[in-house]
């Protein structure tokens, strides 16, 4: 009777460990999915950063050419009549306004690049934390699997003992019946 209780308890414990193993495997898989999502976001952030940086470099070249061209136009405007000088001054004011708008746009783009870099760093920290959690869960899963193997071995041993006891009891019963008949 005591062996049956131990056997029943061992089986229940094995089922609990199997359930825990499946739960840990699910958590490990979910952590892997989160890691993949974080890596995807990290790669997207890197691509965005490269694209914006390339775009800013092109914009800087265009601005440098524009500024050089406007300076040439201003120098030429000084050599023409007063009316043309007024038009050149008006044009210069327009150019300055455009350049101010472009500088503001550059500042906004620079802020965006900074935000992307901060997000990239935050994602990197999250990915490292996720990797550490995944390793801890993997270690816990391996320990639980070792416990499960140990309990399965114990259950098999108890079953063998129970079978041997049952055979011994059956043989003893036959002896007793034979003795009673005889």
């Amino acid at each position: 009777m005591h062996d049956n209780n131990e056997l029943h308890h061992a089986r229940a414990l094995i089922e609990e460990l199997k359930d825990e193993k499946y739960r840990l495997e699910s958590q490990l898989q979910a952590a892997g999915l989160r890691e993949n999502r974080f890596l995807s976001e990290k790669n997207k952030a890197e691509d965005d950063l490269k694209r914006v940086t390339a775009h800013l470099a092109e914009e800087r070249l265009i601005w440098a050419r524009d500024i050089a061209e406007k300076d040439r136009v201003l120098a030429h405007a000084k050599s023409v009549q007063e009316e043309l000088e007024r038009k050149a001054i008006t044009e210069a004011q327009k150019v300055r306004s455009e350049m101010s708008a472009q500088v503001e746009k550059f500042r906004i783009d620079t802020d965006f690049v900074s935000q992307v870099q901060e997000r990239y760093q935050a994602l990197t920290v999250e990915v490292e934390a996720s990797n550490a959690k995944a390793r801890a869960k993997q270690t816990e899963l391996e320990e639980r699997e070792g416990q499960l193997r140990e309990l399965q071995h114990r259950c098999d041993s108890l079953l063998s003992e129970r079978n041997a006891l049952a055979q011994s009891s059956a043989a003893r019963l036959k002896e007793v019946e034979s003795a009673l008949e005889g």
Side-chain angles (χ1 to χ4, degrees), residues 6-69:
E6 271 191 41
L7 181 60
H8 177 70
H9 179 68
R11 284 183 178 158
L13 194 53
I14 286 171
E15 286 304 314
E16 286 176 14
L17 286 172
K18 283 182 181 177
D19 290 344
E20 181 68 12
K21 175 186 173 188
Y22 293 136
R23 185 185 67 75
L24 289 171
E25 287 174 342
S26 295
Q27 287 178 353
L28 189 60
Q29 185 177 21
L33 291 174
R34 283 194 303 275
E35 179 181 358
N36 287 339
R37 188 180 76 240
F38 289 143
L39 288 175
S40 174
E41 287 180 17
K42 174 186 168 189
N43 290 338
K44 183 183 180 308
E46 288 175 346
D47 290 343
D48 287 347
L49 181 60
K50 287 177 187 173
R51 183 179 45 77
V52 167
T53 303
H55 176 72
L56 289 176
E58 291 174 11
E59 292 263 325
R60 285 182 190 151
L61 289 175
I62 291 169
W63 295 341
R65 281 188 229 131
D66 284 348
I67 290 170
E69 180 61 24

Side-chain angles (χ1 to χ4, degrees), residues 2-171:
H2 178 67
D3 288 341
N4 283 340
N5 284 340
E6 271 191 41
L7 181 60
H8 177 70
H9 179 68
R11 284 183 178 158
L13 194 53
I14 286 171
E15 286 304 314
E16 286 176 14
L17 286 172
K18 283 182 181 177
D19 290 344
E20 181 68 12
K21 175 186 173 188
Y22 293 136
R23 185 185 67 75
L24 289 171
E25 287 174 342
S26 295
Q27 287 178 353
L28 189 60
Q29 185 177 21
L33 291 174
R34 283 194 303 275
E35 179 181 358
N36 287 339
R37 188 180 76 240
F38 289 143
L39 288 175
S40 174
E41 287 180 17
K42 174 186 168 189
N43 290 338
K44 183 183 180 308
E46 288 175 346
D47 290 343
D48 287 347
L49 181 60
K50 287 177 187 173
R51 183 179 45 77
V52 167
T53 303
H55 176 72
L56 289 176
E58 291 174 11
E59 292 263 325
R60 285 182 190 151
L61 289 175
I62 291 169
W63 295 341
R65 281 188 229 131
D66 284 348
I67 290 170
E69 180 61 24
K70 299 308 175 193
D71 287 345
R72 188 188 63 74
V73 169
L74 288 173
H76 178 68
K78 288 179 182 178
S79 67
V80 295
Q81 303 172 21
E82 284 184 11
E83 186 178 331
L84 291 177
E85 283 181 0
R86 283 192 298 264
K87 289 181 182 180
I89 289 170
T90 302
E91 180 67 19
Q93 289 171 347
K94 180 182 170 188
V95 167
R96 284 188 184 108
S97 175
E98 289 173 0
M99 293 305 291
S100 293
Q102 288 178 353
V103 166
E104 181 61 22
K105 183 181 181 302
F106 177 76
R107 187 192 61 73
I108 290 169
D109 287 346
T110 303
D111 288 347
F112 174 74
V113 168
S114 295
Q115 290 171 357
V116 168
Q117 287 173 335
E118 288 171 10
R119 181 65 181 143
Y120 171 80
Q121 289 170 352
L123 285 173
T124 301
V125 169
E126 286 179 30
V127 166
E128 289 171 1
S130 178
N131 286 343
K133 285 180 184 177
R135 286 190 296 274
K137 291 292 182 183
Q138 182 64 37
T139 301
E140 184 179 345
L141 178 61
E142 290 169 3
E143 289 173 4
R144 294 294 173 107
E145 286 176 341
Q147 291 172 350
L148 177 62
R149 284 190 298 275
E150 220 176 83
L151 285 172
Q152 284 175 332
H153 177 70
R154 188 171 176 201
C155 185
D156 291 343
S157 174
L158 287 172
L159 281 172
S160 295
E161 287 177 24
R162 189 193 76 177
N163 290 341
L165 185 59
Q167 287 176 354
S168 170
S169 295

